[in-house]
């Protein structure tokens, strides 16, 4: 049984440690904690609970539920348990948040959607109840939409991090001199276009690559063969894709049927989000390089890293899934808020206000089974990014990432005060 | 001397309340109208009673209802069914959002007028091109133009593509109302009351319009185009005008929507399903009535919002309502409640003789039995053929 030294029982539980050495002596609570409400903490999560995007959304929900379960099992935050109310984000991001606030929720999590997050963040600033988004990873959010946030936070790494990681991964694996041509198949909406732009900008800085084709199939398109045919004609050294969920399955199945993988190397930021839906022969044909955002269950090696093993076991036994990066999005969003709030309680000796919780979250560091995370001063979570070669594991009965490379935040995200695209262009 | 001011008048021995020229309500209608108005104005307080009902959702319902009132001018009077009315709603919304996001226009009135103006221009163009056709071809053309706008906005970074545009101009992060920079709560409530005032004025204008010679001409066109042409009605021009007027309502609703939501994305305002929603609102509320579409808008938006709390299959809920509507209450909510409507008829026969419930039940079972035996017959024919 793994024990944590230092920290609080809550922080230890969220880090995936079973107990705290010397727990029970309450040595961490320096001041007297008074003035804490008796009732449980009401929290709200909006995520995609149905429809095609539920492939990601349910993972976020399960992650958040696991974090809540662990917090409550560790006695809650200053004795207050969390009750999590989950709502389908549909197209009603702002309405969902407003409803959470009027129901008296003390904290809100989500959404998954980038566009939804851009709509929501200014409203969070106006209403002043802390929101830690699980995903909604659009790069421009804290650079342009809400440049000086107070109450709006985001746990998951943002798009620039996974795109720069993908560019570096491409060069690491293939060698800069072997990357002369690149093509893209990206979903036809803001996220897909942003990812393609950031990836190609970064790749052009690292190599002398030439763009030979760019295709933007609609979300949930059932035919991607025109793009695949074009790539077979061009035979680019690299094909980049930011497809996720069901679109990954469609693209990879059709690419395999048309022997696209003989002609190009597929690199994707979130291909692994389809982990529970890909079949063995496709994965083995593709040998794609995929990112997994800020969490990959197999890194570090679970047998050497028991918090990771425990999280994998929990996800498999409770929901029969391989947890993906989106699982960690939900888990980490809740964990960041809970640990920061507990810190504020201990500092203040009473229950903190929304503003105090927000201040406590800024620059806050904490552990999860994915490792160490920082919620930076600019309200953007910064964590290690994982990339690997997708293969099949008979033991797991699912795709795995082999030969993992990890990228630390300074390697793939701009220094404070710099816009992402300006930073890449300055290389 | 004729009384030209609002007040009480006497017509054929019945006392009526004169609202404006030509619009005189019976005392009962006046009472209902006042209750309705009071209800609209009290909504912010009603919304405060329960956290499941939100003012912003009700507000959205009123706004979409306004767009449906506009669309209804076409559907009810000229019998033209437009499947692309979201185009004008979206034009209003996007004009407002663009001015706010890219040109930092902060004044509510300016944003509203600009939205209506652009929607008018858009309708003049689309109307000119699609009104050459009637029936299905007209519907398909409006659908096509609507989708064209959707694709344009979705594809252009200038329009914020799929992420959309915020409507948060100025240092206050929201439009100023007549020069006043308000805190969020006050902004929300004041915007709502402004919407109600605009809706009431729009309804009065619409009433006046459909009870004018122009409105009568539209009815004539709806009944028989050729005949209307022969009696000298400039059909093309009148229909085009009606199309533009209905789009002005859509544009106003879109601009209000943008300022209420403070963020505009292509899906919720321009996608063809939104056009379907607006049409459905008119039918749900009762498209043969003036107020029906407004009621339909509020009911549908509320239903969609509350449905999400009840079940993951909330889209199916809308389908069920549609089924119930088509089979049970084809006149819509307001239509069924009107004199001669299904609900009113049932209520009055119930008042006359409560035993009527028995005959309702027996006719219901009878129709069930008939339907069942008919389907058995059909299966027999399918399996064994006709003998």
């Amino acid at each position: 049984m793994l024990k944590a030294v230092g920290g609080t029982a809550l922080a230890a539980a969220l880090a995936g440690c079973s107990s705290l050495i010397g727990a029970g002596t309450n040595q961490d609570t320096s001041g007297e904690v008074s003035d804490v409400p008796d009732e449980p903490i009401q929290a709200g999560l909006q995520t995609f609970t149905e429809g095609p995007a539920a492939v990601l959304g349910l993972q976020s929900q399960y992650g958040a539920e696991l974090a809540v379960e662990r917090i409550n099992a560790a006695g809650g935050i200053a004795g207050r348990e969390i009750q999590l109310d989950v709502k389908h984000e549909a197209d009603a991001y702002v309405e969902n948040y407003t409803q959470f606030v009027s129901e008296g929720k003390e904290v809100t999590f989500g959404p998954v959607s980038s566009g939804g997050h851009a709509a929501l963040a200014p409203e969070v600033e106006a209403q002043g109840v802390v929101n830690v988004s699980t995903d909604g990873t659009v790069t421009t959010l804290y650079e342009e939409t809400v440049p000086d946030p107070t109450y709006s936070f985001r746990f998951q790494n943002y798009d620039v991090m996974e795109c720069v990681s993908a560019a570096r991964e491409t060069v690491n694996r293939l060698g800069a001199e072997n990357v002369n041509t690149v093509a893209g198949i990206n979903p036809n909406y803001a996220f897909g276009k942003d990812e393609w732009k950031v990836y190609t900008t970064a790749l052009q800085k690292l190599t002398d690559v030439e763009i030979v084709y760019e295709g933007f199939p609609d979300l949930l398109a059932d035919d991607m063969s025109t793009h695949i045919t074009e790539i077979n004609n061009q035979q680019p050294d690299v094909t980049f894709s930011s497809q996720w969920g069901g679109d990954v399955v469609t693209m990879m199945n059709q690419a395999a049927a048309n022997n696209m993988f003989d002609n190009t190397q597929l690199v994707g930021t979130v291909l692994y989000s389809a982990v529970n839906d890909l079949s063995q022969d496709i994965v083995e044909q593709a040998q794609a390089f995929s990112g997994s955002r800020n969490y990959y269950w197999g890194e570090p090696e679970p047998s050497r890293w028991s918090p990771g093993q425990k999280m994998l076991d929990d996800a498999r036994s409770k929901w029969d899934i391989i947890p993906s990066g989106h699982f960690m999005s939900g888990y980490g969003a809740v964990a960041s808020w809970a640990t920061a709030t507990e810190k504020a309680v201990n500092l203040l000796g009473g229950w903190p206000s929304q503003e105090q919780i927000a201040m406590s979250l800024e620059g806050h560091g904490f552990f999860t089974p994915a490792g160490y995370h920082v919620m930076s001063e600019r309200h953007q979570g910064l964590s290690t990014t994982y990339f690997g070669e997708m293969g099949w594991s008979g033991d797991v009965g699912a795709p795995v990432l082999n030969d993992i490379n990890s990228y630390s935040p300074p390697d793939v995200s701009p220094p404070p005060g710099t816009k992402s695209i300006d930073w890449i262009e300055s290389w | 001397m004729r009384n030209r001011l609002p007040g009480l008048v006497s017509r054929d021995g019945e006392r009526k309340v004169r609202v404006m020229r030509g619009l005189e309500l019976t005392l009962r209608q006046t009472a209902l109208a006042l209750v309705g108005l009071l209800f609209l104005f009290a909504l912010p307080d009603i919304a405060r009673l329960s956290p499941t009902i939100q003012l912003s959702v009700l507000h959205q319902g009123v706004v979409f209802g306004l767009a449906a009132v506009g669309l209804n001018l076409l559907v009810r009077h000229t019998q033209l069914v437009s499947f692309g009315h979201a185009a004008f709603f979206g034009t209003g919304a996007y004009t407002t959002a663009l001015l706010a996001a890219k040109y930092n226009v902060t004044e509510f009135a300016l944003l509203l007028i600009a939205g209506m103006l652009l929607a008018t221009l858009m309708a003049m163009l689309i109307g000119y091109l699609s009104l050459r056709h009637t029936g299905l071809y007209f519907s398909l053309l409006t659908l096509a133009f609507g989708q064209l706008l959707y694709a344009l906005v979705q594809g252009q970074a200038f329009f914020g593509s799929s992420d959309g545009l915020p409507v948060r101009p100025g240092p206050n992060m929201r439009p100023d109302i007549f020069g006043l920079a308000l805190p969020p709560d006050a902004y929300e409530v004041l915007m709502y009351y402004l919407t109600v005032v605009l809706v009431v004025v729009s309804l009065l204008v619409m009433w006046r319009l459909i009870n004018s010679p122009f409105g009568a001409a539209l009815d004539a066109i709806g009944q028989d185009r050729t005949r209307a042409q022969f009696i000298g009605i400039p059909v093309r021009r009148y229909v085009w005008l009606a199309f533009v007027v209905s789009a002005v309502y859509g544009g106003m609703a879109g601009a209000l929507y943008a300022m209420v939501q403070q963020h505009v994305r292509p899906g919720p305002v321009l996608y063809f399903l939104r056009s379907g929603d607006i049409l459905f609102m008119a039918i749900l509320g009762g498209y043969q009535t003036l107020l029906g579409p407004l009621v339909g808008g509020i009911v549908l938006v509320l239903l969609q919002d509350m449905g999400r709390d009840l079940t993951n299959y909330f889209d199916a809920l809308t389908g069920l309502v549609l089924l119930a509507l088509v089979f049970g209450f084809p006149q819509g909510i307001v239509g069924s409640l009107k004199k001669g409507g299904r609900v009113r008829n049932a209520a009055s026969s119930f008042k006359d003789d409560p035993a009527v419930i028995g005959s309702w039940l027996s006719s219901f079972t009878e129709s069930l039995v008939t339907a069942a035996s008919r389907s058995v017959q059909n299966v027999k024919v399918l399996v064994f053929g006709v003998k």
Side-chain angles (χ1 to χ4, degrees):
Chain A
M1 181 184 278
L2 196 81
K3 293 188 175 201
V5 183
T8 63
L10 176 79
L14 284 168
C17 301
S18 313
S19 62
L20 193 68
I21 293 172
T25 56
N26 213 10
Q27 79 274 34
D28 305 302
T29 312
S30 40
E32 270 295 291
V33 177
S34 59
D35 208 16
V36 170
D38 289 336
E39 67 268 22
I41 299 161
Q42 299 294 332
L45 165 73
Q46 55 171 320
T47 184
F48 289 107
T49 56
E50 61 123 27
V55 175
L56 318 179
L58 288 177
Q59 288 258 1
S60 282
Q61 177 182 341
Y62 299 153
E65 284 173 355
L66 181 63
V68 166
E69 192 187 304
R70 289 183 174 180
I71 290 165
N72 292 346
I77 303 170
R80 298 183 69 192
E81 293 204 341
I82 297 185
Q83 286 177 355
L84 185 71
D85 186 7
V86 181
K87 217 168 153 60
H88 178 35
E89 66 183 69
D91 240 342
Y93 315 97
V94 176
E95 286 90 335
N96 289 339
Y97 173 78
T98 318
Q99 179 160 1
F100 280 152
V101 172
S102 61
E103 285 168 354
K105 303 274 191 273
E106 293 179 43
V107 59
T108 62
F109 304 105
V112 173
S113 151
S114 286
H117 199 196
L120 175 64
E123 194 59 33
V124 172
E125 293 303 309
Q127 300 213 21
V129 172
V130 169
N131 174 263
V132 185
S133 104
T134 50
D135 297 276
T137 48
V138 55
T139 301
T140 48
L141 187 78
Y142 296 129
E143 294 182 355
E144 288 167 25
T145 316
V146 185
D148 186 21
T150 307
Y151 303 103
S152 165
F153 294 85
R154 173 166 59 193
F155 168 69
Q156 184 55 269
N157 286 346
Y158 56 149
D159 294 343
V160 64
M161 296 173 76
E162 65 190 15
C163 294
V164 172
S165 301
R168 295 178 58 119
E169 180 78 358
T170 308
V171 175
N172 284 348
R173 301 243 180 210
L174 302 177
E177 66 285 358
N178 297 323
V179 181
N180 298 311
T181 47
V182 63
I185 305 182
N186 291 279
N188 188 19
Y189 70 114
F191 166 77
K193 290 184 174 169
D194 279 358
E195 292 245 323
W196 174 239
K197 182 177 163 199
V198 176
Y199 174 77
T200 46
T201 312
L203 194 64
Q204 281 169 328
K205 286 287 176 182
L206 299 172
T207 63
D208 294 324
V209 76
E210 181 199 345
I211 297 172
V212 292
Y213 178 70
E214 49 185 30
F216 295 97
D218 283 338
L219 269 182
L220 308 174
D222 46 20
D223 182 17
M224 302 191 189
S225 55
T226 50
H227 308 291
I228 289 163
T229 311
E230 195 57 38
I231 284 168
N232 280 340
N233 289 340
Q234 299 284 351
Q235 308 204 343
D237 297 328
V238 178
T239 297
F240 171 79
S241 179
S242 56
Q243 308 264 42
W244 49 264
D247 285 347
V248 173
V249 182
T250 311
M251 178 181 70
M252 289 185 59
N253 285 349
Q254 294 181 0
N258 290 291
N259 302 320
M260 186 185 98
F261 299 120
D262 297 341
N263 299 322
T264 189
Q265 172 62 52
L266 181 64
V267 178
T269 44
V270 273
L271 301 175
Y272 197 69
S273 63
V275 52
N276 294 290
D277 303 291
L278 287 168
S279 62
Q280 180 174 2
D281 57 325
I282 304 289
V283 168
E284 284 175 347
Q285 267 191 61
Q287 296 184 307
F289 307 149
S290 173
S292 186
R293 301 212 152 162
N294 68 5
Y295 166 66
Y296 175 64
W297 61 268
E299 182 67 24
E301 170 62 40
S303 62
R304 290 186 280 111
W305 177 244
S306 67
Q309 184 67 52
K310 200 156 153 258
M311 179 171 260
L312 177 66
D313 294 344
D314 278 351
R316 297 209 86 173
S317 64
K318 278 183 211 293
W319 299 288
D320 194 24
I321 53 161
I322 302 285
S324 71
H326 289 84
F327 189 91
M328 183 46 67
S329 298
Y331 187 95
V334 174
S336 68
W337 182 83
T339 48
T341 302
E342 191 188 48
K343 186 169 75 181
V345 169
N346 289 340
L347 273 172
L348 294 165
W351 194 259
S353 66
Q354 289 291 334
E355 212 160 5
Q356 288 162 335
I357 292 174
M359 282 171 77
S360 173
L361 261 165
E362 284 185 3
H364 174 63
F366 57 102
F367 271 101
T368 72
Y372 188 64
H373 311 272
V374 177
M375 185 60 82
S376 74
E377 267 78 8
R378 44 189 163 147
H379 289 219
Q380 172 59 54
L382 298 173
S383 324
T384 304
T385 306
Y386 297 97
F387 248 91
E389 185 180 319
M390 227 191 315
W392 188 268
S393 157
D395 295 343
V396 186
V400 292
L401 295 181
N402 294 319
D403 191 15
I404 300 276
N405 287 318
S406 52
Y407 299 88
S408 65
D411 284 333
V412 291
S413 62
T418 319
K419 282 188 182 175
S420 300
I421 209 77
D422 296 345
W423 169 63
I424 298 171
E425 272 162 1
S426 74
W427 290 0
Chain B
M1 199 179 107
R2 278 182 65 189
N3 185 5
R4 295 197 167 277
L5 294 171
L8 272 176
V9 289
S10 181
R11 293 264 179 265
D12 305 329
E14 199 183 355
R15 284 161 77 78
K16 289 198 165 184
V17 178
R18 181 189 157 89
V19 182
M20 62 182 197
R21 200 175 138 204
L23 178 55
E24 288 170 3
L25 302 173
T26 61
L27 290 180
R28 185 193 158 89
Q29 285 171 326
T30 314
L32 277 177
L34 283 179
V35 169
L37 255 183
L38 209 68
F39 174 73
L40 275 182
F41 274 100
L43 271 186
D45 297 304
I46 295 173
R48 230 166 271 147
L49 295 178
S50 157
T52 47
I53 302 173
Q54 290 182 69
L55 180 59
S56 67
V57 174
L58 291 167
H59 196 166
Q60 244 190 78
V62 175
V63 164
F64 276 111
L66 178 62
V69 168
L71 173 64
N72 203 33
L73 177 68
L74 276 187
V75 179
R76 180 184 177 190
H77 298 282
T78 65
Q79 314 277 325
L80 285 169
V81 180
S82 160
F83 283 152
H85 240 55
F88 312 117
F89 189 87
T91 305
Y94 264 95
T95 307
T96 300
L98 274 176
L99 287 179
K102 308 264 169 179
Y103 304 100
N104 218 15
V105 177
T106 52
E107 178 51 47
F108 153 81
L110 274 180
L111 292 169
L112 179 71
I113 291 168
M116 289 167 69
L117 206 67
L118 257 284
T120 311
L121 292 175
M122 187 64 77
M124 286 165 80
L125 181 70
I126 294 182
Y128 180 75
L129 294 170
S130 42
L131 284 167
R132 295 155 176 268
H133 302 271
T134 53
L136 193 56
Y137 292 101
F138 166 78
S139 301
L140 287 178
L141 271 174
T142 51
L143 181 70
F145 283 117
Q147 282 303 86
L148 200 67
L149 278 189
Y150 171 75
L152 178 78
V153 166
Q154 174 95 354
Q156 294 296 320
F158 179 70
F159 296 110
S161 63
S162 58
D163 281 353
L165 293 168
V167 187
R168 297 181 181 272
N172 197 31
M173 299 283 280
R174 64 187 68 81
D176 295 346
I177 299 182
F178 304 123
L180 287 176
L182 297 165
D185 294 355
Y187 175 81
E188 191 189 9
V189 174
L190 192 57
M191 269 303 289
Y192 175 75
Y193 287 134
L194 276 172
T195 308
V196 171
V197 170
L198 285 168
V199 165
V200 170
V201 172
S202 307
L203 284 174
L204 287 175
V205 171
M206 185 59 86
W207 190 89
R208 196 78 196 83
L209 201 71
I210 56 185
N211 287 292
S212 67
F214 174 69
L218 291 183
D219 278 328
I221 295 168
Q223 284 161 18
D224 192 326
R225 257 178 182 244
T226 322
R227 194 196 306 154
Q229 188 97 47
F230 281 157
I231 59 174
I233 297 171
V235 172
R236 269 255 183 100
R237 193 145 47 91
Y238 271 31
V239 174
W240 186 55
L241 213 58
F243 190 82
V244 172
V245 170
S246 90
V248 172
Y249 278 68
M252 184 197 290
L256 286 170
Y257 171 91
M259 287 187 273
V260 175
Q261 291 293 105
Q262 298 197 267
H263 194 95
V264 174
R265 291 185 312 121
V269 305
L270 273 170
Y271 198 50
F272 74 98
L273 288 178
R274 199 41 108 178
S275 299
D277 275 349
I278 298 175
L279 190 60
F280 181 33
M281 286 163 188
I283 298 168
L284 174 66
Y287 79 101
Q288 292 296 0
T289 63
L290 175 65
L291 290 175
L294 183 66
V295 175
I298 299 172
V299 171
L300 184 66
V301 171
L302 208 59
L303 196 73
Q304 284 173 339
D305 184 70
M306 305 217 308
R308 280 190 298 117
D309 289 345
L310 292 175
T311 163
N312 263 347
Y313 304 101
F314 55 93
D315 285 327
L317 208 66
T318 326
L320 283 180
V321 172
L322 186 61
L323 280 181
L325 189 73
V326 172
F327 288 112
F329 305 93
Q331 292 162 306
I333 299 170
V334 176
S336 304
L337 292 172
K338 260 177 57 168
K339 212 179 228 170
R342 187 160 183 161
V343 174
R344 276 283 277 280
N345 279 348
S348 72
S349 46
F350 180 73
K351 214 160 75 183
D352 292 345
D353 178 14
V356 75
I357 285 195
S359 67
W360 288 344
L361 276 179
S362 69
S363 74
F364 178 68
T365 8
E366 212 168 276
S367 58
L368 267 187
V369 170
T370 329
S373 74
R374 201 185 304 135
S375 34
V376 169
Q377 277 298 325
N378 287 345
V379 171
K380 262 189 191 162
V381 169
L382 282 174
V383 176
F384 302 109
V386 187
K387 283 194 181 145

